[in-house]
Amino acid sequence: MQMTTSKYIGVGQAGILSLALAVGNQLVTIGFYNIRTFQVSDVTEKYKFSDYCMLRVITVSAMLIAGVFWITLGNYNVVKMAAIMAAVIFRAVEAISDVLEGRYQQKGRYDISCKGVVIKTLTYLGVFLVTLFITGSVFWGLTALATVYLVMILYLDSQIIGEFGGISFKTSWKTQGALLIEGFPLFVNAFLNAYIINAPKYALEKYYSSEVLGIFTVLYMMAFVVNMFASFVLKPIISVLAEKYVKQDISGFLKLILRQMLVIAAATTICIIGAYLVGVPSLSFLFGVDLAEYKGALCLILVSGGFTAMYQLYQYGIIIMRHQYSTFICCGLTVVLTYIITPYLTRKYEIMGATVSYTVSIGFMSLMFILFFVFYLVKDRKKREEKYE
């Protein structure tokens, strides 16, 4: 989406798209409530699927209301307001899809979730690109995307979900309250993390033009290439990790964690080498933007991508161990650091400043999650030893 907009429509429109998706990514944390990992790892079904469905109705409604407040209170022009609202609706639809895909994964059919994501994504991306070329407008592209995405969910998932018990909203306020409380630290963690991820974009949008933001976004999205490769191995084994931990197979649990660390390290190294050798000319060609002076920033961005994948790995481990409240501390301290350094470095050093501030912030957060993971692992081991003495 970003590549096509930048190359054929203009880097200014790409900057607007980047801002719209940044806000959508920030607010979708309300819609997701970051409950997916909790839902998937709920292998004993402490909460029924109907409980998760009703929770998603509540959170998506809250997300859309927050979107209205965001664009009303934000100092945006009409074009940016329209694009942001369209992006928020698009991510709200994704939040609806997510709870259904989580059900398939919880029941050991992550393959169905993946196939559904591929079909939906290819379809709505195609519609976005066609609409973008016809109208030259990011707003109409995102609007068409969201509409088609919703239609695809109604068509595909309605034929599949019945095999997994169907959709129901039968629950109780007591159950919803308990689920909201259990998921609250995960939600806050996701919301704060979204701020950490998007803080450089917000700072660039404040101090520089949409063109500068568009250039940074080209570099910035490479950080998630590492995380994407790492996710190929990590996401399918979340339920496996949960089962091993529940069954007290700590050795197997740690072996999977360590294997994933190696995957992250390998993916990060390969991506950095590739970026150093051919990254700048390749991206300049694909996006139609001259990136010759940003080679160092690109390599540093990929380092931050490795940190991102690392902290997510240990966050999953902490959630599986059901110590999710500690994520308040990890993300809270990182937000304070980000709030202090990002505006200063971005305003002074433009794109390189934004890159350095993000890498420092996400590296710090990764370290915090690793320390808490080790702490709880040792603590839980002592509890088990005392139990069997």
Side-chain angles (χ1 to χ4, degrees):
M1 291 164 66
Q2 197 72 39
M3 179 180 70
T4 306
T5 305
S6 176
K7 190 174 180 68
Y8 297 105
I9 308 301
V11 71
Q13 279 287 306
I16 293 173
L17 175 63
S18 176
L19 175 64
L21 292 177
V23 176
N25 293 342
Q26 180 80 56
L27 295 181
V28 79
T29 56
I30 302 174
F32 283 149
Y33 205 64
N34 205 19
I35 206 73
R36 172 70 175 264
T37 304
F38 188 94
Q39 176 189 358
V40 171
S41 60
D42 186 8
V43 290
T44 59
E45 294 208 45
K46 178 180 178 181
Y47 296 98
K48 297 177 182 178
F49 181 53
S50 59
D51 299 324
Y52 290 108
C53 287
M54 191 63 215
L55 178 67
R56 195 54 53 98
V57 171
I58 295 171
T59 58
V60 168
S61 299
M63 172 190 174
L64 293 173
I65 293 171
V68 173
F69 277 102
W70 189 293
I71 63 171
T72 302
L73 300 176
N75 187 25
Y76 303 115
N77 59 37
V78 175
V79 174
K80 289 182 179 180
M81 287 176 64
I84 289 172
M85 200 63 227
V88 170
I89 294 172
F90 154 51
R91 297 310 304 273
V93 174
E94 186 176 12
I96 296 170
S97 181
D98 176 75
V99 73
L100 301 174
E101 292 156 9
R103 179 61 171 176
Y104 310 147
Q105 186 178 359
Q106 182 190 26
K107 290 298 183 179
R109 294 305 307 271
Y110 190 48
D111 59 315
I112 292 179
S113 297
C114 293
K115 290 172 185 175
V117 168
V118 169
I119 294 171
K120 294 169 194 172
T121 303
L122 289 177
T123 303
Y124 73 59
L125 278 180
V127 170
F128 171 82
L129 296 177
V130 170
T131 307
L132 185 69
F133 278 120
I134 293 174
T135 65
S137 167
V138 166
F139 163 70
W140 286 114
L142 288 170
T143 300
L145 183 157
T147 303
V148 170
Y149 197 175
L150 181 59
V151 171
M152 291 297 293
I153 292 172
L154 295 174
Y155 176 73
L156 289 176
D157 291 289
S158 63
Q159 301 181 53
I160 300 172
I161 194 64
E163 300 296 324
F164 295 85
I167 297 176
S168 170
F169 300 98
K170 186 178 181 181
T171 186
S172 67
W173 288 114
K174 182 179 179 180
T175 301
Q176 285 300 301
L179 190 53
L180 282 165
I181 291 171
E182 290 218 57
F184 184 71
L186 304 177
F187 156 65
V188 173
N189 172 32
F191 191 84
L192 295 178
N193 180 51
Y195 167 75
I196 294 165
I197 290 174
N198 292 314
K201 294 183 181 180
Y202 296 148
L204 285 169
E205 196 273 335
K206 180 178 181 180
Y207 298 120
Y208 300 98
S209 65
S210 294
E211 285 74 15
V212 173
L213 177 57
I215 292 172
F216 175 74
T217 302
V218 173
L219 302 169
Y220 189 64
M221 68 174 61
M222 293 300 104
F224 299 96
V225 171
V226 177
N227 191 38
M228 177 183 69
F229 285 123
S231 294
F232 291 159
V233 178
L234 176 58
K235 287 190 176 181
I237 64 169
I238 293 176
S239 359
V240 179
L241 280 170
E243 288 177 1
K244 287 186 179 297
Y245 188 79
V246 169
K247 294 177 180 178
Q248 300 295 301
D249 182 9
I250 305 304
S251 176
F253 178 72
L254 287 177
K255 283 180 181 178
L256 285 176
I257 293 285
L258 292 173
R259 187 184 74 180
Q260 184 64 18
M261 285 183 64
L262 293 175
V263 171
I264 293 171
T268 304
T269 303
I270 292 170
C271 288
I272 290 174
I273 293 172
Y276 184 81
L277 296 176
V278 298
V280 168
S282 298
L283 291 175
S284 296
F285 171 75
L286 291 172
F287 288 85
V289 179
D290 184 10
L291 301 174
E293 61 181 290
Y294 302 112
K295 190 173 187 178
L298 176 60
C299 292
L300 191 58
I301 278 288
L302 287 166
V303 172
S304 71
F307 286 146
T308 300
M310 193 69 73
Y311 103 77
Q312 288 184 343
L313 168 63
Y314 285 98
Q315 177 182 246
Y316 289 147
I318 290 171
I319 292 171
I320 288 169
M321 291 190 283
R322 294 301 187 248
H323 294 297
Q324 59 265 31
Y325 284 92
S326 63
T327 59
F328 276 130
I329 301 173
C330 299
C331 287
L333 291 176
T334 306
V335 163
V336 172
L337 176 65
T338 302
Y339 184 79
I340 294 171
I341 68 172
T342 299
Y344 171 76
L345 291 175
T346 302
R347 187 172 188 178
K348 191 168 184 179
Y349 300 107
E350 200 186 64
I351 287 177
M352 180 54 81
T355 302
V356 170
S357 66
Y358 177 68
T359 305
V360 170
S361 295
I362 211 71
F364 174 79
M365 186 159 70
S366 298
L367 178 62
M368 292 294 295
F369 271 102
I370 291 172
L371 292 175
F372 270 93
F373 176 83
V374 173
F375 171 76
Y376 284 121
L377 198 64
V378 172
K379 185 178 179 180
D380 287 357
R381 186 184 67 181
K382 288 181 179 179
K383 283 184 179 181
R384 288 193 300 273
E385 289 175 351
E386 291 173 358
K387 181 179 178 180
Y388 292 108
E389 282 181 357

